[in-house]
Amino acid sequence: MNHKLELQHITKTYITEEGEMTALDGVNLEVKPAEFLCIIGPSGCGKTTLLRMVAGLDHPTSGTIILDGKEVKCASPDRGMVFQEFSLFPWRKVLKNVEFGLEISGMRDKERQAIAEKYIALVGLQGFENHYPYELSGGMKQRVAIARALATEPSILLMDEPFGSVDAQTRNILQEELLEIWARTKKTILFVTHSVDEAVYLADRVAVMSARPACLVKCLAVDIPRPRKRTSAEANEFRAKLLMWLSLERSKACVTV
Amino acid sequence: MRLPTKEKWVWLVPLIILIILWQFIAVYVVKKPEILPSVTAVIFSFYELRNYILPDILVSLLHFAMGMTSAFAVALPLAIAMGWYDTVFKAVDPIVELIRPIPPLAWVPLAIAWFSLTHFAAGFIIFIGAFFPILIASYTGFRDVPKVLVETGKVLGCIGNRKLIRYVAIPYALPSIATGTRVGMGVAWMCVVAAEMFGVSKYGLGCRIFTKFFPWHQMDYVVAYMLILGLVALCIDRVFRHFVEGKLFKWKKGIVK
């Protein structure tokens, strides 16, 4: 058992006015320690739901999620989460935002400040400790969110399209920085995205989800050596492969809708 | 560079014109001090009433403080409960909406019956006046807490409602609470005067106007006290804005200078 995270037969059904609707239909997934795994799939396929389940913010109808050998039941700081929306506490300065989780855990002022400063430096925001979130750009906000998620030293980092609301150039920079952070902290990262480019650039493995009712159709290892070039022939080839799988899934979705 | 200093005093011009106009109309057009007292008569009344003004202000402020603090102390916990727990909201909201439209002054007979002519009776009317603005603005603040901030709180270790309320909901709702309090203070001040006028109390600015000055048609005294009422309310509002809005809400974009 050298899996960091295991999802076993995860199903999720919602009860709607038209009756039961199955969103996730028996998803199985294993994530290795220090692995960077991207989940990609057609929109509305439930990839965010899956990630939220790992975070403990949503609960599977059946199936179990096992992290470090223990079953996940509810939210806890041992899983860091970065949301797509800007999620900084607007009344807290950058430093206090990063300190939040440590403050809740009851850590002393000085200790938590030292840790927070370390992570602010890690995301390259030294000098912005005393800025309020509204004074930051979108990319900076997400950097703070990453620092905040890492500050409690979670065993896994969950990212839900974290760069979805920043512009394309910032997004590229943030991706590079994330890879650096990943290399330095050796965190396991579960990263949900709808961008093929992002998945190919970042991931060790890409898990492709099918259209609703979703299950994992394929796990593809991205065997492109790092540091990667976005425009290399291998990257293009992989992108083509991934796009093919996705369009296959999309066409199925059209048939069922 | 000359313009700013000029603009700084621009408000004096209409004010002086208004005072001159008032004096002119009172002395040369109306000519009846019981209809419109002159400016000079009003200014002279301040001098004549110098021994009454301060005690009356203090009594009215006492009523105001009693009503405001009790309204705040009751409204805030109720607002937290109504804003955070939907069941409480659904259960209590109809009662709130039933009692809210009753004008505070309609409570005067009951106030006298319950507390007789004490400070508590006046405080009660002010309580009724201030309670609803504080309650409604505050629970709206709590209901509006963005889901993503609540979830961020959960992921970072806020386990249970108490921690979420303390670390996420209250800081988020503070500006709404402050706005409600400010509106509540305005209503409360109106109620101070009205309650005292209606004989709920034997002292206070409102009581003096209605039972001591008005029966003798001493309009110069009445106007002098009216000006005091306005100035005191202005001071309360300024002090509140300075300490609460200026200091607490730097994080709110727009308020920051």
Side-chain angles (χ1 to χ4, degrees), chain A residues 52 55 57 75-77 79-81 83 85-92 100-101 103-104 132 134 148 152, chain B residues 147-159 163 166-169 171-172 250-254 256:
Chain A
R52 289 170 55 83
L57 295 170
S76 136
R79 278 149 281 143
M81 176 106 173
F83 293 88
E85 309 101 298
F86 297 131
S87 62
L88 299 186
F89 299 115
W91 58 90
R92 286 176 168 248
F100 187 87
E103 191 183 326
I104 301 294
Y132 281 105
Y134 78 86
R148 185 177 60 182
T152 51
Chain B
K147 197 173 155 223
V148 68
L149 294 187
V150 176
E151 292 187 333
T152 304
K154 281 186 189 166
V155 173
L156 289 170
C158 289
I159 293 153
K163 279 196 169 171
R166 179 174 158 202
Y167 288 101
V168 180
Y172 184 85
K250 286 201 196 115
W251 58 272
K252 274 240 139 179
K253 212 175 173 180
V256 182

Side-chain angles (χ1 to χ4, degrees), chain B residues 23-116:
Chain B
Q23 178 74 5
F24 179 81
I25 293 172
V27 175
Y28 296 104
V29 183
V30 180
K31 290 184 195 166
K32 285 178 187 154
E34 68 274 19
I35 302 290
L36 184 68
S38 67
V39 180
T40 41
V42 170
I43 292 171
F44 193 61
S45 334
F46 280 113
Y47 176 73
E48 286 180 317
L49 295 168
R50 65 194 178 282
N51 291 330
Y52 298 102
I53 290 174
L54 198 62
D56 281 341
I57 289 179
L58 289 178
V59 169
S60 288
L61 280 179
L62 173 72
H63 295 160
F64 176 79
M66 283 166 67
M68 273 308 293
T69 42
S70 55
F72 193 80
V74 179
L76 191 63
L78 186 61
I80 294 175
M82 284 178 79
W84 195 252
Y85 303 100
D86 209 44
T87 327
V88 177
F89 182 82
K90 284 189 180 122
V92 179
D93 187 55
I95 304 174
V96 169
E97 289 306 307
L98 205 66
I99 301 176
R100 191 165 70 99
I102 302 173
L105 291 185
W107 290 83
V108 166
L110 273 184
I112 297 173
W114 291 347
F115 302 101
S116 70

Side-chain angles (χ1 to χ4, degrees), chain A residues 103-155:
Chain A
E103 191 183 326
I104 301 294
S105 74
M107 189 185 280
R108 286 218 198 123
D109 241 354
K110 274 197 183 144
E111 269 175 88
R112 66 178 194 236
Q113 191 177 334
I115 295 173
E117 272 167 1
K118 185 179 110 191
Y119 282 101
I120 289 170
L122 183 71
V123 298
L125 284 178
Q126 305 100 310
F128 289 93
E129 287 89 347
N130 286 318
H131 281 58
Y132 281 105
Y134 78 86
E135 297 170 296
L136 307 177
S137 68
M140 288 158 99
K141 283 180 193 164
Q142 288 309 67
R143 282 194 190 106
V144 178
I146 293 170
R148 185 177 60 182
L150 289 171
T152 51
E153 306 204 332
S155 108

Side-chain angles (χ1 to χ4, degrees), chain A residues 7 23-31 35-48 50 190-200 203-222 237-253:
Chain A
L7 308 186
L24 295 172
D25 191 13
V27 175
N28 290 301
L29 184 67
E30 285 103 34
V31 186
E35 188 176 31
F36 198 130
L37 190 127
C38 278
I39 301 177
I40 197 166
S43 64
C45 74
K47 45 192 193 296
T48 294
L50 201 63
L190 194 56
F191 191 107
V192 164
T193 181
H194 58 255
S195 157
V196 171
D197 295 9
E198 195 163 59
V200 173
D204 286 330
R205 274 195 307 151
V206 180
V208 183
M209 281 179 85
S210 66
R212 204 163 249 195
C215 55
L216 283 178
V217 274
K218 200 131 185 84
C219 256
L220 300 161
V222 188
E237 200 182 307
F238 199 90
R239 250 196 296 273
K241 199 154 67 168
L242 210 51
L243 283 168
M244 185 200 75
W245 277 104
L246 280 170
S247 66
L248 211 65
E249 280 315 311
R250 244 194 320 273
S251 61
K252 276 189 209 159

